[in-house]
Amino acid sequence: MTAITSIEDAATLNSQLASLDLAGRLSLVAGLGERVVFTTSLGIEDQVITAEIGNHRLPIEVATLQTGRLFPETLALIDETESQYDIRIVRYEPEQADIEAYAAKYGLNGFYESVEARHACCGVRKLKPLARALSGASIWITGLRRGQSANRADTPFAEFDPERNLFKINPLADWDIDAIRAYVADNSVPVNPLHARGYPSIGCEPCTRAIKPGEPERAGRWWWENDEKRECGLHVHEEGTAAAQ
């Protein structure tokens, strides 16, 4: 295994990945760690990565956070994707005790009432399952892109995540949505039908709406909140250090 032990190592890897195509990026990363995990939300970006993993039979684990509030279309796509690429997508679900404790404190849909309650819901349904998914992993692959939102405009190809003590790889960081759609069309990649109905970013059903013409891609997520940088917490940490561009 190639040792990556510092932010400087991540910066070097960031430069290496910049010169490769998607297959090259994923192949390089697949050889860096004993356990490499790709977490997919089944969005169009993630489907591109899954297709590359499946088509090239790369030794990368594919996992998803089955929050218990996903759209039926998303659930159906999990099964379809497994079948098409002959892979297993491991589902990580929230603990029932955590859901019950949340409901007792905030109400089942209390996330509409305050940012605190919404963050708490994401913590129960996403962050804690993510921690289990990444336990023991040395590399975490995501579908983050710079064009998804202003908050993600500086997304690097490689960065060190100090809270999780692993390296986070964003192999689609420099892809725009047109390149994503072209890949999907050229390679017959299955995608969520909600994309065609105005949902470029798809999360839990109660927290996602279709966007309006001219709105940013992630405007439909937690739309009732005013913070333009709103995130669920999966990709935000207090003192994270990204590799230099």
Side-chain angles (χ1 to χ4, degrees), residues 23-72:
R25 291 169 182 174
L26 291 172
S27 295
L28 175 61
V29 169
L32 292 178
E34 294 179 355
R35 183 165 182 252
V36 182
V37 177
F38 166 51
T39 55
T40 175
S41 67
L42 284 295
I44 192 169
E45 295 91 353
D46 291 341
Q47 289 297 92
V48 168
I49 295 176
T50 300
E52 287 289 292
I53 291 172
N55 288 334
H56 294 280
R57 313 312 300 171
L58 296 174
I60 296 171
E61 295 181 33
V62 182
T64 194
L65 308 180
Q66 214 298 41
T67 65
R69 305 298 295 268
L70 299 181
F71 285 89

Side-chain angles (χ1 to χ4, degrees), residues 11-214:
T12 298
L13 179 59
N14 188 72
S15 297
Q16 293 174 330
L17 292 172
S19 65
L20 301 174
D21 62 11
L22 179 57
R25 291 169 182 174
L26 291 172
S27 295
L28 175 61
V29 169
L32 292 178
E34 294 179 355
R35 183 165 182 252
V36 182
V37 177
F38 166 51
T39 55
T40 175
S41 67
L42 284 295
I44 192 169
E45 295 91 353
D46 291 341
Q47 289 297 92
V48 168
I49 295 176
T50 300
E52 287 289 292
I53 291 172
N55 288 334
H56 294 280
R57 313 312 300 171
L58 296 174
I60 296 171
E61 295 181 33
V62 182
T64 194
L65 308 180
Q66 214 298 41
T67 65
R69 305 298 295 268
L70 299 181
F71 285 89
E73 291 89 344
T74 303
L75 296 175
L77 185 59
I78 296 175
D79 296 332
E80 181 182 359
T81 303
E82 287 183 319
S83 177
Q84 176 152 332
Y85 297 108
D86 190 25
I87 61 173
R88 181 183 178 223
I89 299 176
V90 182
R91 286 81 154 165
Y92 288 87
E93 300 178 354
E95 299 290 345
Q96 186 60 35
D98 290 336
I99 293 174
E100 292 173 359
Y102 176 87
K105 182 174 182 179
Y106 298 105
L108 185 61
N109 293 328
F111 43 80
Y112 291 125
E113 303 302 322
S114 70
V115 174
E116 174 194 349
R118 201 268 291 170
H119 284 169
C121 186
C122 289
V124 166
R125 294 184 181 274
K126 291 186 174 182
L127 294 180
K128 291 185 75 172
L130 177 68
R132 298 201 309 273
L134 296 179
S135 178
S138 56
I139 303 288
W140 174 24
I141 298 173
T142 86
L144 295 185
R145 292 189 299 107
R146 296 166 192 161
Q148 288 170 327
S149 68
N151 197 42
R152 298 180 177 184
D154 296 322
T155 297
F157 297 112
E159 58 189 315
F160 177 59
D161 186 329
E163 292 185 4
R164 300 181 176 95
N165 194 32
L166 48 66
F167 287 86
K168 185 175 174 181
I169 307 299
N170 311 304
L172 293 176
D174 59 344
W175 283 47
D176 62 27
I177 190 61
D178 290 336
I180 295 288
R181 289 170 177 161
Y183 179 99
V184 165
D186 292 344
N187 294 276
S188 300
V189 177
V191 297
N192 197 318
L194 291 172
H195 289 312
R197 302 175 200 162
Y199 292 78
S201 179
I202 304 168
C204 291
E205 186 170 10
C207 300
T208 309
R209 66 159 171 81
I211 66 170
K212 301 172 185 176

